[in-house]
Amino acid sequence: GREKLIPEMFTAIVGILEDNNVDCPTLIYYFKRHIEVDGDNHGPKALKCLEGLTDSQEKKNTATSTALESLSKRNKLWDYIDSQLVH
């Protein structure tokens, strides 16, 4: 799940913030902590858990369709948030 995506996504965000000298040390710490925890701990455990839960093709199909639906809804949420920000 998301534990695999977050480290890459947050690394990119931290890079942008640091490249633009954005003064937000608490937010950068938050992102870096998630990069560390999700990349080294939660990500591998989540994959192991998913493997145990999807022991049939039917369960794999359900997990895949649910993940795609979740990503679509998350994308809509972030698009809405972006539309509310002043650019």
Side-chain angles (χ1 to χ4, degrees), residues 18-48:
E18 291 178 339
D19 289 349
N20 289 286
N21 297 315
V22 177
D23 185 26
C24 56
T26 304
L27 182 60
I28 290 173
Y29 170 80
Y30 169 84
F31 286 142
K32 287 184 175 181
R33 182 70 179 129
H34 273 283
I35 292 165
E36 177 185 336
V37 171
D38 288 335
D40 296 340
N41 192 356
H42 291 167
K45 286 182 181 178
L47 288 175
K48 187 174 181 177

Side-chain angles (χ1 to χ4, degrees), residues 51-79:
E51 288 171 5
L53 292 171
T54 55
D55 57 358
S56 71
Q57 190 58 48
E58 181 182 359
K59 290 178 182 177
K60 288 177 184 176
N61 292 344
T62 299
T64 299
S65 65
T66 302
L68 291 171
E69 182 181 352
S70 174
L71 289 171
S72 175
K73 289 181 179 186
R74 182 172 290 179
N75 192 44
K76 287 178 184 177
L77 169 66
W78 284 110
D79 284 348

